[in-house]
Amino acid sequence: MGGSVETTERGFSKYGFVFLLIAVISCILTTPTRAAPIDDQFQAWLQTDLWPEAKSKGISKKTFDAAFTGVKPNLKLPDLVMPGETPTTPEKQHQAEFGPPANYFAEKIIRAVTTGGRTRESANARVLGLIEKRYGVPGDIVLAIWGRETGFGAAKMPYDAFEVLGTKAFMSTKKDFFRTEVLAALEIVERGLAPVNAMKSSWAGALGQPQFMPTSFLKHAVDFDGDGRPDIWNSTPDVLASIANYLVHYGWVRGRGWGTEVTVPTNVSCSLEGPDQGKTISDWVAMGIRRVDNRAFQASELKAEGFLLMPAGRSGPAFIVTPNFYVIKQYNNSDLYGLFIGHAADRIAKGDATFVDSWGAVGDLHRSDIAALQRALEAKGYDVGSADGLPGFKTRRSIGVWQSKNGKPATCFPDAALVSQLK
């Protein structure tokens, strides 16, 4: 018996070793090769993917190498997706609260723009006069945008534009968008419009004091000081004229303002809001809408088109805005941004008057709650724009229509009770 056991043990050891060896080899063969370091992947992408397209668009190897020598992907930038991974919605964005519109107009923030704007209006009066004469855009509007975007140039541009744009073109959630932008940035350098070392940007890749993306720079940047190139990093005349030129490109109407605060009678539905529901100013007046300062609309305005704007529905100020308001929104597609610029411009020109109507206590919902409400309205056939958790005008007026159809007072703004009813 002892011999039998010995033979069995030796036999197990012999064949067990063979099986173990086969298992190890199999494991090695079936385990994926470890991915190359991200820096190496980035460099390979630059040379085998981005460079061929850049070359086809007339970019020289000298320019390309100057832009990307020493550049590595910046993994601290937002909205990145590691190669091979699937994009996910960040939890903090999903659960972030939608702040009350009133927060956007905090006095400390808007006063910095208006006070700084008045100082610079005086210092740059001649240039602003020439810009308004050429482009038709009031200096107060240009100053308000300049102040809002970069604090009149005080905000630092700490990033290398090619690091930001290259990283995002390689691995962001919007690769195609940033690929176009990084190619445009290369064109800026190739054409001698700016040297590589001047290409400083924000974390989003926006350039200079007006915060232009590279494609916008190529379309709108202006050499207004006459030195031969548009310098939106250091030249105040170029910065101001470039902002005005941008607005003109998107349809700024010479001779009209942006809008004015009004009172809206209760019998006028807040669901009439939006740039696709314009009426002549005289029609709005016939419905009972009045300026809050009790002044009559100018006769020249009465035949012109205006639009109802109620950023907080019935829980905040209301406005009749002109097409120029929507031109301002081309700079930043937000009703609150457009209103901030218009309001700040008025204060630069006329003094620090606040809105007459006050902002209500709204905006205490999570963006995920608002997105759920938007999806519920979409399921009922309403056009809310997109279920992004932000109550834009399409969402606001859809809420108002739904409320009216269901026998409720139309507020045109989301609240917790409404979310519960519709979810």
Side-chain angles (χ1 to χ4, degrees):
M1 182 178 286
S4 176
V5 171
E6 184 181 2
T7 303
T8 303
E9 287 179 349
R10 282 201 297 266
F12 178 80
S13 298
K14 177 181 178 182
Y15 293 111
F17 174 77
V18 173
F19 291 142
L20 178 61
L21 183 61
I22 292 172
V24 169
I25 294 172
S26 175
C27 183
I28 292 172
L29 293 177
T30 57
T31 300
T33 303
R34 186 175 179 179
I38 192 70
D39 289 359
D40 293 345
Q41 293 184 60
F42 179 69
Q43 292 302 323
W45 171 80
L46 284 176
Q47 299 305 323
T48 63
D49 190 339
L50 188 64
W51 162 240
E53 183 172 2
K55 182 180 180 180
S56 73
K57 292 182 179 296
I59 306 301
S60 67
K61 194 70 166 66
K62 178 182 178 181
T63 293
F64 192 86
D65 289 345
F68 288 109
T69 296
V71 171
K72 297 181 179 180
N74 185 341
L75 303 183
K76 295 181 179 179
L77 296 172
D79 302 322
L80 301 183
V81 181
M82 295 299 287
E85 293 184 359
T86 302
T88 58
T89 301
E91 187 65 20
K92 64 178 182 179
Q93 179 185 24
H94 186 66
Q95 288 299 330
E97 288 189 358
F98 171 73
N103 291 355
Y104 206 90
F105 301 94
E107 186 62 22
K108 180 180 179 181
I109 298 173
I110 200 164
R111 188 176 290 272
V113 173
T114 56
T115 302
R118 282 194 290 271
T119 299
R120 287 160 181 81
E121 187 174 42
S122 175
N124 297 281
R126 177 180 172 277
V127 168
L128 288 167
L130 291 172
I131 288 171
E132 183 164 359
K133 183 177 181 180
R134 178 179 297 184
Y135 298 104
V137 181
D140 304 320
I141 293 287
V142 174
L143 289 167
I145 292 175
W146 186 26
R148 177 68 188 185
E149 291 299 318
T150 56
F152 307 102
K156 302 301 180 184
M157 295 293 109
Y159 293 93
D160 178 291
F162 291 104
E163 175 189 86
V164 172
L165 297 169
T167 299
K168 287 180 171 285
F170 174 58
M171 58 187 301
S172 82
T173 56
K174 299 179 180 177
K175 288 183 181 180
D176 291 344
F177 172 83
F178 284 104
R179 188 182 185 93
T180 299
E181 295 299 338
V182 75
L183 290 167
L186 288 165
E187 184 180 344
I188 290 170
V189 175
E190 184 68 32
R191 289 170 54 183
L193 301 176
V196 167
N197 61 7
M199 295 288 283
K200 300 300 181 183
S201 76
S202 70
W203 61 265
L207 306 173
Q209 297 184 40
Q211 286 292 272
F212 282 173
M213 295 304 290
T215 52
S216 288
F217 179 100
L218 291 172
K219 292 176 184 175
H220 311 303
V222 172
D223 170 24
F224 205 73
D225 62 12
D227 70 349
R229 67 183 183 90
D231 183 357
I232 63 172
W233 292 270
N234 304 296
S235 169
T236 296
D238 290 4
V239 168
L240 298 174
S242 296
I243 292 171
N245 190 43
Y246 182 99
L247 297 177
V248 168
H249 174 86
Y250 284 104
W252 185 270
V253 181
R254 184 187 291 263
R256 295 197 75 185
W258 68 271
T260 187
E261 187 180 354
V262 297
T263 57
V264 180
T266 55
N267 66 326
V268 176
S269 174
C270 50
S271 64
L272 292 176
E273 184 184 9
D276 53 351
Q277 298 193 99
K279 302 178 186 295
T280 63
I281 302 293
S282 59
D283 284 341
W284 292 116
V285 170
M287 296 169 71
I289 290 177
R290 297 289 183 271
R291 291 172 54 128
V292 293
D293 59 10
N294 294 316
R295 295 169 56 192
F297 286 96
Q298 293 180 348
S300 59
E301 283 287 290
L302 290 174
K303 294 181 180 179
E305 190 173 32
F307 312 88
L308 182 62
L309 173 71
M310 301 180 75
R314 285 287 180 181
S315 297
F319 306 86
I320 292 295
V321 298
T322 74
N324 286 341
F325 173 83
Y326 295 102
V327 172
I328 295 171
K329 278 187 62 178
Q330 293 291 330
Y331 222 98
N332 183 329
N333 190 24
S334 159
D335 287 334
L336 296 182
Y337 178 89
L339 184 56
F340 183 102
I341 297 303
H343 182 57
D346 285 351
R347 288 175 58 157
I348 290 171
K350 305 170 187 175
D352 289 326
T354 60
F355 297 121
V356 172
D357 201 358
S358 58
W359 300 95
V362 294
D364 57 348
L365 297 171
H366 288 120
R367 283 186 61 175
S368 53
D369 293 326
I370 297 174
L373 181 149
Q374 290 169 323
R375 288 191 293 270
L377 286 169
E378 283 181 328
K380 296 179 183 296
Y382 291 90
D383 177 11
V384 299
S386 65
D388 57 3
L390 297 173
F393 75 88
K394 289 186 176 181
T395 295
R396 296 194 298 265
R397 69 189 187 189
S398 293
I399 288 171
V401 172
W402 182 88
Q403 288 170 323
S404 295
K405 286 184 177 180
N406 287 272
K408 304 176 185 301
T411 65
C412 295
F413 209 80
D415 58 42
L418 186 64
V419 169
S420 297
Q421 290 171 346
L422 281 167
K423 282 177 71 173

